[in-house]
Amino acid sequence: MEPMSKSFYVTTPIYYVNDAPHIGHAYTTVAGDVIARWHRQRGESVLFLTGTDEHGTKVQLKAEDNDVTPTQWVDRLVSDFWRPVLDTIDAKPDEFIRTTEERHRRGVQYFWEILKDKGFVYPAQYEGPYCIGCEEFKFPADLLPGKKDGEQLCAIHQRPVEMLEEENWFFKLSEFTDPLLDYYQLNPETIGPRSAYNEVVAFIRGGLEDISMSRSSVRWGVPLPWDEDQVVYVWFDALLNYLTAIGYGDSGKSELFETTWPADVHLVGKDILRFHAVYWPAMLMAAELPLPKQVFAHGWLLVGGEKMSKSKLTGIAPEQITDFFGSDAFRYYFLRAINFGSDGSFSWEDMRSRYTAELANGLGNLASRSAAMIGKYFDGELPAPSGYTNTDLSLQDHLANCTADADAAMLTLDFSKALAEIRSFVDAVNGYVTAEQPWVLAKDPEQRPRLATVLYTIADCLRAIAVLYHPVMPQATEILWESLGGPEALGPLADQDVTDLGWEVLPPGTAITKTEPLFPRLPEESDGEGTA
Ligand code: MSP
């Protein structure tokens, strides 16, 4: 029997449910969704996973503060916020995992039992600083001096760390210093961007120490199968979601697991790189499972130069932006304006100006003018082209080049470049309209064949633009597709191949209709304005 081909597997981190999502969380999910849709439109089978990280001290304390049980708290947060935010940003994961689900708990226990049987887990005393915000044991280099005498702060949260002293179970991380270094030296592309790779390698070179993998003071977690008084340390529970969501569990590996693992890319924020590029591969090596093909660390959305966060009250809820600009513009803006891998700031003004220039004027007008001209000059029926000039053919070349470049950029997660490539084509088509002046051609009956070619060319270019932008802006492109008669002529937009756009694809005779604007004009003022 033919082995089943492997799916492209992309994941986001699973989010802590101590609070509602802000745009920093939505940013990672949008990136994952765009990559998933892009690969699907390359004809690949794809599994896109996201979910929620529900155990640990942070969540337990939050539930206590709100006088509810942890279960009540997480159920409420997930159903009121974390699932609905997916609709807000139009993300469509194939799987949503919650770490409180039975399939996950089983898989976590199964995994750690194996590691213990293999001799990678032993009991020992732990004493050291812990940051509840990060849910992480800290090293001296991770800490800053506080204001009070002897106080130490977590460098990420700028909050005092706790001193913990516990009898724990330890994972023999130290055994993986050399295997990880060897692996990364041979496979530098497995961590992106390059700066993240360098950071990880420098950290491992410093030598890895064994690390506590359980907690005795915490109740809210997955109990160790061999010691019910302890729960698995929340990170060593959470990371396993990438396996448990695809069928890894006590009954062994399922077919889904076999055709999905290893992950092609784990998208993570730079603050959680060490967990994904040091601890996680060490755990997988210990379990003799293949390592993810890539971990990519993106930057932070900043407010006033600092990481946006709910706890610092700088979090902007995604709907504050989508209610005003729509989900397509949200998706487009963050991937276009910020280099994936670098930090960036959200500015209401910048978003408004890109919306107007790049989306409403750049693409929206092109689409509505073209449909209006085909309506006016050809009764809404797409004319057949009749012989191409060099100008037409250069547009064809431009499309072929920008498609190849956009694809290459998407595959390396350079969203900003991919979007710039597609936009350069939109600009070229706008330039073509200006240069060819169809409204002038329309005045001369002898130019009718040329008018037909020009309008056909524009419509077929719009067809290609709809296909290329679909993974990023699913809604506007769907309206454009309708307007071009795409569904009847060519089938669903999501089935169109982004790597093979072709030329002269839209059949002449197709009914072209004027639809609602792709990007409505923005109101002058908004309630949300000034919140950023
Ligand atoms: N639960 C862990 C992840 C476990 S994955 C096995 C966690 N959760 S988190 O909710 O705190 O963060 C989830 C993701 O959101 C991280 O990738 C983090 O970098 C990202 N972001 C949180 N704030 C952010 C910004 N201000 N900007 C960009 N991303 C940010 O860590």
Side-chain angles (χ1 to χ4, degrees):
M1 224 172 65
E2 281 278 298
M4 290 206 15
S5 68
K6 187 187 169 311
S7 298
F8 180 84
Y9 185 27
V10 51
T11 68
T12 73
I14 50 172
Y15 303 100
Y16 287 129
V17 290
N18 56 320
D19 222 325
H22 61 61
I23 60 175
H25 306 119
Y27 177 57
T28 324
T29 307
V30 162
D33 189 65
V34 168
I35 274 302
R37 290 182 196 248
W38 187 270
H39 279 263
R40 239 176 244 127
Q41 282 190 240
R42 297 179 98 246
E44 298 167 42
S45 104
V46 173
L47 201 148
F48 169 37
L49 171 70
T50 189
T52 42
D53 188 353
E54 306 189 5
H55 292 132
T57 318
K58 199 149 68 163
V59 172
Q60 188 181 319
L61 291 178
K62 199 71 189 216
E64 280 165 19
D65 285 352
N66 286 274
D67 291 327
V68 290
T69 65
T71 305
Q72 287 169 324
W73 174 261
V74 296
D75 286 351
R76 188 200 298 167
L77 265 272
V78 171
S79 62
D80 290 359
F81 296 103
W82 289 93
R83 280 194 186 268
V85 75
L86 297 172
D87 289 333
T88 307
I89 56 176
D90 207 4
K92 303 235 180 316
D94 302 287
E95 267 292 342
F96 187 99
I97 184 130
R98 300 181 53 183
T99 54
T100 47
E101 283 174 66
E102 189 49 31
R103 60 171 171 163
H104 178 75
R105 294 164 63 90
R106 263 204 325 265
V108 170
Q109 293 189 325
Y110 175 74
F111 181 91
W112 282 107
E113 190 90 68
I114 291 178
L115 261 54
K116 179 156 179 295
D117 288 349
K118 285 175 181 275
F120 288 113
V121 176
Y122 63 92
Q125 184 76 13
Y126 176 79
E127 197 185 337
Y130 189 83
C131 169
I132 295 181
C134 296
E135 294 282 16
E136 184 180 7
F137 298 106
K138 292 289 172 180
F139 298 100
D142 299 327
L143 303 173
L144 301 171
K147 287 207 183 83
K148 289 191 219 138
D149 218 18
E151 187 180 59
Q152 292 185 302
L153 307 181
C154 160
I156 295 176
H157 289 89
Q158 317 249 321
R159 282 203 313 234
V161 288
E162 284 185 20
M163 288 309 284
L164 279 191
E165 197 183 331
E166 286 193 358
E167 181 72 22
N168 286 158
W169 291 85
F170 274 64
F171 169 51
K172 285 189 183 166
L173 183 65
S174 59
E175 291 199 5
F176 296 92
T177 306
D178 289 335
L180 281 173
L181 273 182
D182 292 347
Y183 177 76
Y184 284 136
Q185 247 132 35
L186 282 174
N187 304 284
E189 74 294 343
T190 55
I191 304 178
R194 188 72 197 181
S195 55
Y197 172 83
N198 293 337
E199 186 188 318
V200 167
V201 170
F203 179 77
I204 303 173
R205 273 216 185 97
L208 301 176
E209 287 177 22
D210 291 352
I211 178 168
S212 156
M213 58 71 61
S214 72
R215 299 288 307 275
S216 62
S217 57
V218 179
R219 297 268 31 94
W220 182 234
V222 180
L224 292 187
W226 63 88
D227 178 356
E228 293 268 321
D229 290 337
Q230 305 236 0
V231 299
V232 178
Y233 164 44
V234 63
W235 267 102
F236 288 163
D237 149 359
L239 285 162
L240 288 162
N241 88 89
Y242 303 129
L243 302 184
T244 59
I246 53 169
Y248 179 89
D250 57 1
S251 53
K253 300 173 196 171
S254 68
E255 187 175 312
L256 176 66
F257 183 84
E258 294 295 345
T259 54
T260 310
W261 190 257
D264 290 80
V265 57
H266 289 314
L267 298 174
V268 300
K270 64 181 186 179
D271 47 326
I272 57 172
L273 176 62
R274 194 188 291 169
F275 293 100
H276 284 83
V278 181
Y279 305 162
W280 180 226
M283 286 161 67
L284 291 165
M285 279 179 173
E288 294 175 70
L289 287 169
L291 305 195
K293 293 190 191 158
Q294 195 184 37
V295 171
F296 194 98
H298 65 69
W300 286 338
L301 300 191
L302 305 176
V303 173
E306 281 189 40
K307 180 181 173 217
M308 174 182 298
S309 93
K310 280 265 169 177
S311 56
K312 289 192 197 140
L313 303 177
T314 52
I316 302 172
E319 58 274 17
Q320 278 177 268
I321 297 178
T322 55
D323 283 352
F324 190 65
F325 290 103
S327 60
D328 278 355
F330 182 99
R331 297 162 62 95
Y332 177 86
Y333 175 78
F334 286 103
L335 296 181
R336 173 76 187 93
I338 301 167
N339 180 22
F340 203 63
S342 311
D343 292 344
S345 300
F346 165 72
S347 124
W348 202 269
E349 293 71 31
D350 186 38
M351 182 151 185
R352 179 187 267 276
S353 74
R354 278 189 195 266
Y355 179 95
T356 304
E358 300 180 17
L359 299 181
N361 294 347
L363 176 58
N365 278 355
L366 174 65
S368 63
R369 278 161 86 199
S370 311
M373 286 191 285
I374 295 171
K376 186 164 168 198
Y377 306 135
F378 290 93
D379 286 333
E381 193 174 296
L382 185 64
S386 59
Y388 291 119
T389 64
N390 282 343
T391 323
D392 309 335
L393 295 174
S394 74
L395 214 48
Q396 188 175 342
D397 280 349
H398 192 136
L399 175 61
N401 291 335
C402 97
T403 305
D405 291 348
D407 186 48
M410 281 292 188
L411 297 192
T412 54
L413 304 177
D414 191 345
F415 298 103
S416 174
K417 176 158 193 303
L419 290 175
E421 287 296 338
I422 304 170
R423 177 158 182 247
S424 81
F425 184 63
V426 176
D427 286 348
V429 181
N430 267 318
Y432 177 83
V433 176
T434 311
E436 297 299 317
Q437 301 189 314
W439 51 92
V440 175
L441 295 173
K443 290 189 183 134
D444 180 354
E446 281 190 13
Q447 294 284 5
R448 191 125 176 110
R450 180 65 195 150
L451 176 65
T453 303
V454 168
L455 290 181
Y456 178 85
T457 300
I458 298 167
D460 203 43
C461 287
L462 280 167
R463 183 265 316 163
I465 292 166
V467 174
L468 289 169
Y469 267 149
H470 187 56
V472 181
M473 297 185 280
Q475 295 184 4
T477 48
E478 204 61 70
I479 300 174
L480 177 56
W481 196 240
E482 286 285 332
S483 149
L484 295 169
E488 296 75 38
L490 303 170
L493 180 51
D495 292 352
Q496 310 298 310
D497 190 335
V498 280
T499 59
D500 183 17
L501 270 303
W503 188 256
E504 243 189 83
V505 171
L506 208 52
T510 300
I512 307 291
T513 46
K514 212 166 171 270
T515 47
E516 57 184 297
L518 304 190
F519 303 100
R521 185 178 284 279
L522 297 174
E524 276 312 306
E525 291 295 328
S526 90
D527 291 335
E529 205 150 7
T531 50

